[in-house]
């Protein structure tokens, strides 16, 4: 599997004659430069896309009965009457300071609201990702190493089924069986006091986490399985087996590191899908996360809140992707070079 595009770029980060630590520092610096440039481009695209949406945001917020004078006064209060470039620069410099503006509807800090919502979304996504990786790595390696056996083929078939399952259907099925019929876990919602009672908060996230983890696990198993099949066919694996090593020993000692390379790459690619999947999951389970906040603000045409939320999600995806690219560079000696 190919490495992430930004990770591939690190192969030319520094001349081969430099010490390894210096080459690695150059690669990290290049990744940070890519991150800053990408965030600036993303912020501009987000701002312009929302700014030039059809319709007058001030007129919509003012209501159908508002007069032209009232609409103009609201535009002035919200700063919508200023030049577009001034509005963008003001927003970007504020975002750098951690100020994403205030909601057009209730005047609350957008950054503060996002911080509250991330207390639900981040644990949900992190838990789903950790569970998926912990299950996918051993299961995918077993399916790859024994891909000609009946259980190896069965795992492959189950992963195809898991990828095809609609997330909302899985969520509704879990709610119907586990929460409604068995009454083991809460049906929907999240504690109003957030994590004041960690047990209640965790119980509220169990079903959403499982729902989000099922398709992600299935996809990761397929990638690990394919990587393992490639590894098993390598010449050095056959040599190790001829020397008396078992398949299990070869995969654990050497194959796990090689299988980690495509896994790191695909986790970065799956991150955006994971966050977007959380939007749907939060709707199914009525979780007050950032996805539900985004949908509500889009419906209310609260552009300041929407652009702040989109920038936050984009930043999270890019930062994690860059971090994974750096990890990829550390794992793969072909990318960091050798002394």
């Amino acid at each position: 599997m190919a490495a992430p595009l930004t990770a591939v770029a690190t192969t030319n980060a520094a001349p081969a004659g430099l010490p390894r630590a210096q080459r690695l520092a150059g690669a990290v610096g290049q990744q940070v430069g890519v991150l800053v440039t990408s965030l600036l481009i993303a912020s501009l695209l987000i701002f312009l896309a929302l700014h030039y949406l059809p319709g007058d945001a001030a007129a919509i917020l003012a209501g159908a009965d508002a007069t032209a004078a009232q609409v103009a006064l609201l535009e002035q209060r919200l700063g919508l009457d200023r030049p577009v470039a001034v509005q963008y620069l003001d927003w970007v410099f504020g975002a750098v300071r951690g100020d994403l503006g205030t909601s057009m509807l209730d005047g609350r800090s957008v950054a503060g609201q996002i911080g509250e919502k991330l207390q639900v979304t981040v644990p949900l996504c992190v838990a789903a990702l950790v569970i998926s990786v912990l299950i996918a790595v051993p299961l995918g390696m077993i399916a790859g190493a024994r891909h000609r056996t009946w259980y190896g083929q069965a795992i492959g078939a189950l992963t195809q089924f898991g990828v095809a399952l609609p997330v909302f259907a899985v969520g509704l099925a879990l709610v119907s069986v586990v929460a409604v019929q068995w009454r083991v876990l809460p049906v929907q919602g999240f504690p109003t006091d957030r994590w004041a009672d960690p047990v209640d908060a965790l119980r509220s996230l169990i079903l959403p986490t499982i729902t989000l983890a099922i398709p992600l696990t299935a996809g990761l198993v397929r990638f690990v399985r394919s990587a393992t099949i490639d590894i098993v066919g390598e010449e050095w694996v056959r040599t190790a087996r001829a020397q008396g090593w078992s398949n299990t020993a070869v995969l654990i000692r050497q194959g796990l590191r090689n299988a980690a390379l495509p896994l790191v790459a695909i986790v970065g690619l799956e991150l955006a899908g994971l966050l977007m999947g959380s939007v749907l999951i939060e709707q199914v389970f009525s979780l007050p996360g950032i996805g539900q906040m985004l949908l509500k603000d889009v419906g209310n045409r609260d552009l300041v809140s929407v652009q702040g939320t989109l920038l936050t999600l984009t930043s999270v995806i890019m930062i994690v992707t860059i971090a994974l690219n750096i990890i990829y560079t550390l794992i793969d000696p072909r990318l960091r070079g050798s002394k």
Side-chain angles (χ1 to χ4, degrees):
M1 180 178 295
L5 295 178
T6 50
V8 173
T10 62
T11 55
N12 299 320
L18 294 176
R20 180 177 300 176
Q22 191 171 347
R23 290 201 304 273
L24 183 59
V28 172
Q30 186 180 42
Q31 295 290 340
V32 173
V34 170
L35 174 63
V36 173
T37 304
S38 300
L39 284 176
L40 285 175
I41 295 173
S43 68
L44 180 61
L45 293 176
I46 290 171
F47 180 85
L48 293 178
L50 293 177
H51 183 82
Y52 289 107
L53 277 177
D56 187 339
I60 294 174
L61 291 173
D65 298 331
T67 64
Q70 291 173 328
V71 172
L73 183 61
L74 183 58
E75 284 183 346
Q76 184 178 8
R77 182 172 66 83
L78 297 175
L80 299 177
D81 58 337
R82 297 176 299 164
V84 176
V86 174
Q87 294 182 49
Y88 170 71
L89 291 175
D90 183 57
W91 176 59
V92 167
F93 286 125
V96 172
R97 299 191 305 269
D99 180 10
L100 295 173
T102 57
S103 169
M104 290 181 172
L105 296 178
D106 53 21
R108 294 179 59 193
S109 167
V110 173
Q113 293 186 64
I114 291 175
E116 293 178 3
K117 304 304 181 181
L118 286 178
Q119 294 179 31
V120 178
T121 302
V122 170
L124 172 64
C125 292
V126 170
L129 182 60
V130 171
I131 291 173
S132 299
V133 171
L134 291 178
I135 295 175
V137 171
L139 199 60
M141 295 185 74
I142 292 172
R146 299 287 187 267
H147 63 279
R148 289 190 176 91
T149 63
W150 68 268
Y151 55 87
Q153 295 176 0
I155 293 174
L158 285 174
T159 58
Q160 292 181 354
F161 179 69
V163 170
L165 279 175
V167 176
F168 72 90
V170 175
L172 292 176
L174 287 176
V175 168
S176 176
V177 175
V178 179
V180 176
Q181 295 184 20
W182 298 350
R183 299 182 180 181
V184 177
L185 295 169
V187 177
Q188 290 179 325
F190 195 78
T192 54
D193 53 1
R194 300 295 192 225
W195 291 91
D197 188 342
V199 175
D200 280 349
L202 288 174
R203 291 181 74 248
S204 300
L205 291 179
I206 290 177
L207 288 184
T209 299
I210 294 174
T211 304
L212 195 58
I214 287 176
L216 180 60
T217 302
L220 293 180
V221 168
R222 295 180 65 184
F223 280 98
V224 175
R225 177 180 180 273
S226 298
T228 304
I229 292 175
D230 292 339
I231 292 170
V232 170
E234 294 286 343
E235 182 66 31
W236 61 268
V237 174
R238 291 193 290 268
T239 301
R241 292 179 60 188
Q243 293 175 351
W245 288 44
S246 66
N247 272 343
T248 302
V250 173
L251 288 175
I252 291 177
R253 295 189 183 186
Q254 300 294 335
L256 187 60
R257 174 173 177 149
N258 291 334
L261 295 176
L263 182 62
V264 169
I266 195 59
V267 165
L269 295 175
E270 290 284 350
L271 181 62
L274 185 65
L275 285 174
M276 292 304 103
S278 69
V279 174
L280 183 58
I281 294 300
E282 289 171 5
Q283 288 297 109
V284 173
F285 290 93
S286 297
L287 295 175
I290 198 167
Q292 194 176 75
M293 172 183 172
L294 180 60
L295 291 178
K296 181 195 72 174
D297 291 335
V298 169
N300 293 330
R301 203 176 173 81
D302 189 346
L303 299 185
V304 175
S305 185
V306 171
Q307 66 188 20
T309 304
L310 290 177
L311 182 62
T312 300
L313 292 175
T314 303
S315 301
V316 170
I317 293 172
M318 288 185 176
I319 290 171
V320 174
T321 301
I322 292 297
L324 291 175
N325 285 339
I326 294 173
I327 294 172
Y328 201 106
T329 304
L330 294 173
I331 295 175
D332 193 347
R334 295 170 300 179
L335 297 179
R336 68 173 186 266
S338 57
K339 188 173 181 178

